[in-house]
């Protein structure tokens, strides 16, 4: 080992002291879960979609919901706030994110609302819960499952956890951009959100992605979140859902402005799609 580059202990201590005196950067002060909720999630929109679609397909109002891969459980919290009759079960296997959700989201609930929410630390492939009207698995988290037989097992389990007219809500994306590396930047209030598709395996469809956050003081929170997903197609997912016992799986595809091609916040039930570079949608599966 060479000692030529080693700093003498006093100089090292001085430098450390100087660094400690520097004000922390915005990245050091940032809370990655808060940034995630702000940049990735839109629970109000997603719950509106669940409410409207459930009513349209079943003729009644949904009340019990299970949120798989719930993370900070913001969607479950907003669900129990929506109606006095609503109940929610949030499932995630990571105690750190569940703890954050308890502290920052669940804590805002009134006692009666808290009683209607349960957070379960468990693997969605193992958990058993009471039957519910709605199961939502959002932000493509079920794409963690890389093998068809595991996806089938997951769908079977969700099928069993639904009441007779219950509905499983999944999100889905497609288009040529899924199958390539790329970066997408979005400016938000006080920070930039960067979505990076860092590696794509064209044989296995495995996609490695990261979320980074950049701040006005030039500091960065790199790889705040990383995921390895398999890019699944809507058609093959529908086939697996059918095998798992779902009688119908409707694709709701994002609408595009016919003149500007801009993606809109409207979703229509259709099997028609052009060769969009990127489209978002939901798969709504009924037993
Ligand atoms: C991308 S976050 C999704 C958060 C939220 N559902 C959303 O829509 O943004 C993925 C979460 O899934 C959890 N997760 C991944 N695999 C899981 C599994 N097999 N069982 C339970 N939770 C899992 C992770 O701990 C993480 O909190």
């Amino acid at each position: 080992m060479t000692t030529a580059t080693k700093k003498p202990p006093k100089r090292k201590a001085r430098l450390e002291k100087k660094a400690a005196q520097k004000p922390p950067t915005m990245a050091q002060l940032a809370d990655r879960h808060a940034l995630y909720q702000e940049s990735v999630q839109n629970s109000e929109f997603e719950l509106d979609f669940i409410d409207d679609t459930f009513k349209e397909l079943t003729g009644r109002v949904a009340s019990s919901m299970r949120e798989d891969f719930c993370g900070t459980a913001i969607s479950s919290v907003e669900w129990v706030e929506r109606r006095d009759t609503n109940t929610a079960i949030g499932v995630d296997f990571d105690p750190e994110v569940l703890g954050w959700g308890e502290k920052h989201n669940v804590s805002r609930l009134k006692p009666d609302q808290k009683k209607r929410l349960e957070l379960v630390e468990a693997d969605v492939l193992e958990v058993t819960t009471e039957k519910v009207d709605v199961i939502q698995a959002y932000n493509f988290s079920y794409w963690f499952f890389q093998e068809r037989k595991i996806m089938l097992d997951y769908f079977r389990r969700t099928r069993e956890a639904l009441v007779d007219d219950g509905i499983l809500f999944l999100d889905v994306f497609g288009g040529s951009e899924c199958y390539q590396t790329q970066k997408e930047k979005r400016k938000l209030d006080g920070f930039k959100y960067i979505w990076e598709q860092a590696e794509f395996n064209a044989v296995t469809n495995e996609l490695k992605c990261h979320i980074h956050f950049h701040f006005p003081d030039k500091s960065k929170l790199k790889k705040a979140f990383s995921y390895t997903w398999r890019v699944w197609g809507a058609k093959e997912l529908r086939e697996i859902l059918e095998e798992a016992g779902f009688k119908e799986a409707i694709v709701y595809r994002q609408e595009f402005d016919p003149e500007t091609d801009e993606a809109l916040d409207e979703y229509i039930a259709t099997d028609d799609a052009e060769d969009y570079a990127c489209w978002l949608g939901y798969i709504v599966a009924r037993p």
Side-chain angles (χ1 to χ4, degrees):
M1 187 177 96
T2 170
T3 53
T5 55
K6 257 191 157 180
K7 300 192 184 5
K10 269 193 186 156
R11 185 158 172 245
K12 196 174 163 215
R14 253 200 336 269
L15 286 175
E16 276 172 6
K17 198 174 163 200
K18 213 172 156 196
Q21 280 165 351
K22 261 187 155 178
T25 63
M26 293 178 89
Q28 283 166 335
L29 291 173
D31 181 330
R32 68 186 187 121
H33 294 303
L35 296 170
Y36 177 90
Q37 283 191 175
E38 216 174 311
S39 52
V40 176
Q41 293 188 280
N42 186 346
S43 309
E44 191 184 352
F45 180 84
E46 283 161 0
L47 293 178
D48 282 348
F49 179 81
I50 288 175
D51 257 345
D52 295 347
T53 312
F54 192 92
K55 182 91 201 296
E56 194 183 309
L57 295 178
T58 67
R60 69 179 181 94
V61 176
S63 58
S64 51
M65 184 186 78
R66 188 174 105 188
E67 183 188 6
D68 279 357
F69 312 97
C70 70
T72 66
I74 186 66
S75 194
S76 296
V77 165
E78 289 184 18
W79 182 253
V80 297
E81 283 176 327
R82 260 185 186 226
R83 284 185 291 275
D84 291 349
T85 44
N86 280 1
T87 58
I89 305 166
V91 183
D92 200 291
F93 64 14
D94 179 359
E96 190 264 331
V97 72
L98 286 176
W100 192 97
E102 280 275 5
K103 187 170 169 204
H104 298 270
N105 293 332
V106 180
S107 59
R108 78 177 192 214
L109 294 176
K110 298 181 187 131
D112 156 65
Q113 295 169 331
K114 268 190 196 156
K115 275 193 214 145
R116 290 183 279 110
L117 168 68
E118 188 191 351
L119 294 188
V120 181
E121 184 190 317
D123 191 321
V124 298
L125 292 171
E126 287 167 8
V127 75
T128 312
T129 51
E130 63 197 40
K131 288 184 190 263
V132 287
D133 295 334
V134 167
I135 296 180
Q136 61 145 299
Y138 276 166
N139 208 22
F140 319 103
S141 305
Y142 68 109
W143 286 12
F144 284 127
F145 305 139
Q146 304 262 340
E147 306 302 325
R148 194 185 191 281
K149 59 178 186 304
I150 296 178
M151 192 62 92
L152 177 61
D153 181 32
Y154 175 60
F155 288 163
R156 280 199 174 122
R157 291 180 151 273
T158 55
R159 164 77 190 79
E160 277 160 22
L162 286 170
V163 296
D164 290 349
D165 65 346
I167 300 186
L168 170 66
F169 288 83
L170 304 164
D171 51 9
V172 64
F173 68 83
S176 52
E177 283 180 4
C178 303
Y179 306 100
Q180 61 191 44
T181 57
Q182 62 158 351
K183 266 189 194 169
E184 177 203 314
K185 292 183 185 169
R186 228 174 343 116
K187 234 179 151 191
L188 285 118
D189 195 13
F191 67 95
K192 244 188 224 158
Y193 159 91
I194 292 96
W195 170 251
E196 181 186 12
Q197 294 179 190
E199 285 173 52
F200 178 70
N201 182 325
V203 171
T204 62
N205 270 16
E206 191 180 275
L207 180 67
K208 287 197 162 83
C209 327
H210 309 290
I211 292 176
H212 315 284
F213 298 109
H214 294 182
F215 300 91
D217 67 354
K218 305 256 181 284
S219 61
K220 294 176 180 176
L221 201 59
K222 285 190 179 170
K223 297 187 181 172
F225 296 94
S226 295
Y227 312 111
T228 303
W229 291 337
R230 167 170 166 182
V231 179
W232 291 86
K235 186 160 167 104
E236 60 190 330
L237 288 168
R238 276 169 136 179
E239 287 167 358
I240 305 171
L241 284 162
E242 192 184 343
E243 204 174 321
F246 287 92
K247 294 206 178 60
E248 186 179 32
I250 311 164
V251 171
Y252 287 75
R253 199 211 67 216
Q254 184 174 39
E255 275 275 62
F256 292 86
D257 185 306
E259 265 151 40
T260 62
D261 262 358
E262 194 194 335
L264 305 173
D265 273 349
E266 282 165 42
Y267 290 79
I268 51 158
T270 181
D271 280 4
D272 284 336
E274 289 171 33
D275 56 343
Y276 299 117
C278 177
W279 66 274
L280 291 172
Y282 294 107
I283 300 183
V284 170
R286 307 178 72 194

